[in-house]
Amino acid sequence: MKLFAVFGNPIAHSKSPILHNYTLYKLKINARYCRYLLDSSKDFRELFFSLGLSGANITIPFKEEIAKICDEVCGIAQKIGAVNTIINKNNKIIGYNTDALGFYKNIESKNIKNALVLGAGGSARAIAMILREKNIDVIIANRSKKNLIFFDKKGFETCLSDELSKSTKEFDIIINATSSSINDTLPLQKDILESLFERSKIAFDLMYGKKCKFLESAKEKGLDTIDGAKMLLYQAIPALSIFTNIDESRIKPHMEEIYKIINKEN
Ligand code: NDP
């Protein structure tokens, strides 16, 4: 039996095991997918191999650190410098990033010309990179400087979140790619956020599975809102395809089926 897992901290909220296990079962693949609460990425290589995993997803806050320990990083993950999907190929760890396209599928039908990304972690990197590839102007704002350096080096416009109080720019979309919603807080000061919402059209929060203050506040200001549920689905389909070598077209109907069941419950 093949084993897969999702590593992160926190991890209890993750719906990835439900999506993957249901689809593996439906495709009659002898495999299981579990979640693993990771304290630190130190010794991750040894852990990954000792657990006998064929592949794994990586989530908050380890995507950049695990990218650094991969033997090879493929596709857009090279530019992003963060991986959410890894496989064991002949005892080498190969890393991929399916978050970028997973995010973009949510907005591709919308007429978006510019975006504000809040947060500068692994997911923000994926989102900023795909937006730039699609010729959408992006500003990255983060509460602290350190994680912004990556974006500065890549030529993105960046600022500290507090500096947004001086901005008068209008945004087609504001994306909360911080982990604030997991902790039930707003990603930046309420008055600054409300002022940004007053001149924006869509609010997107990567969080899924529960109400969050960011989207509630956006709704009050009349914005269209999108949560992270479909991003989870759209990153999981290619991830399972990478794990199993099965075409995405065979995976998609089963994942969509269980996605609908999960979202009816919420
Ligand atoms: P990281 O840990 O890599 O980055 C977290 C970012 O959030 C950092 O920029 C950090 O700032 C910022 N941050 C953390 N807490 C707060 C807060 N209270 N207020 C303001 N900023 C804060 O996480 P990821 O990028 O991997 O993930 C971010 C979120 O996106 C998580 O909630 C994750 O679950 C979700 N996610 C959802 C997906 C989906 O499919 N729906 C896919 C991927 C991620 P600093 O740099 O100062 O520490």
Side-chain angles (χ1 to χ4, degrees), residues 53-263:
L53 294 169
S54 300
N57 287 122
I58 308 296
T59 188
I60 170 180
F62 298 112
K63 290 175 183 176
E64 298 102 312
E65 288 168 29
I66 302 300
K68 286 187 201 141
I69 60 146
C70 285
D71 295 294
E72 194 185 322
V73 171
C74 300
I76 196 170
Q78 288 178 359
K79 285 188 194 165
I80 296 168
V83 296
N84 74 326
T85 302
I86 59 171
I87 54 165
N88 174 353
K89 191 173 176 190
N90 304 324
N91 293 323
K92 289 203 161 131
I93 300 181
I94 317 294
Y96 302 82
N97 193 303
T98 67
D99 279 339
L101 273 177
F103 163 77
Y104 188 69
K105 275 186 178 289
N106 285 270
I107 61 157
E108 63 188 341
S109 63
K110 304 186 191 296
N111 183 24
I112 290 173
K113 301 261 186 312
N114 72 354
L116 171 65
V117 177
L118 304 173
S123 314
R125 286 187 184 195
I127 289 167
M129 217 52 91
I130 194 78
L131 289 173
R132 182 151 81 179
E133 277 201 7
K134 303 291 178 187
N135 295 317
I136 295 168
D137 285 341
V138 196
I139 298 179
I140 324 293
N142 197 40
R143 63 178 177 181
S144 65
K145 182 73 195 160
K146 191 172 159 241
N147 277 329
L148 286 176
I149 295 169
F150 169 87
F151 296 89
D152 291 334
K153 283 187 184 159
K154 300 266 177 191
F156 283 98
E157 185 176 344
T158 67
C159 66
L160 288 170
S161 304
D162 289 347
E163 291 168 352
L164 289 168
S165 61
K166 295 178 226 144
S167 163
T168 52
K169 224 176 156 165
E170 297 177 3
F171 294 102
D172 291 331
I173 187 165
I174 302 182
I175 301 142
N176 183 14
T178 76
S179 30
S180 66
S181 294
I182 283 191
N183 303 314
D184 218 16
T185 58
L186 287 171
L188 74 162
Q189 246 175 267
K190 194 168 191 273
D191 54 335
I192 304 177
L193 189 62
E194 285 181 349
S195 148
L196 287 164
F197 283 154
E198 274 160 18
R199 46 184 202 276
S200 304
K201 294 176 191 153
I202 303 172
F204 190 120
D205 197 305
L206 268 60
M207 179 73 198
Y208 59 84
K210 66 170 193 178
K211 280 192 176 168
C212 67
K213 288 181 176 167
F214 178 80
L215 293 186
E216 290 297 299
S217 170
K219 255 183 225 159
E220 279 169 24
K221 294 283 175 193
L223 277 76
D224 289 337
T225 58
I226 309 173
D227 74 6
K230 280 224 161 117
M231 177 172 170
L232 178 78
L233 171 69
Y234 293 140
Q235 63 75 33
I237 293 169
L240 191 55
S241 175
I242 291 166
F243 290 155
T244 57
N245 270 323
I246 290 175
D247 197 82
E248 286 183 35
S249 61
R250 284 186 57 210
I251 293 171
K252 194 166 174 258
H254 303 299
M255 277 238 182
E256 284 180 341
E257 190 180 8
I258 185 65
Y259 166 85
K260 278 186 200 141
I261 295 168
I262 296 170
N263 283 286

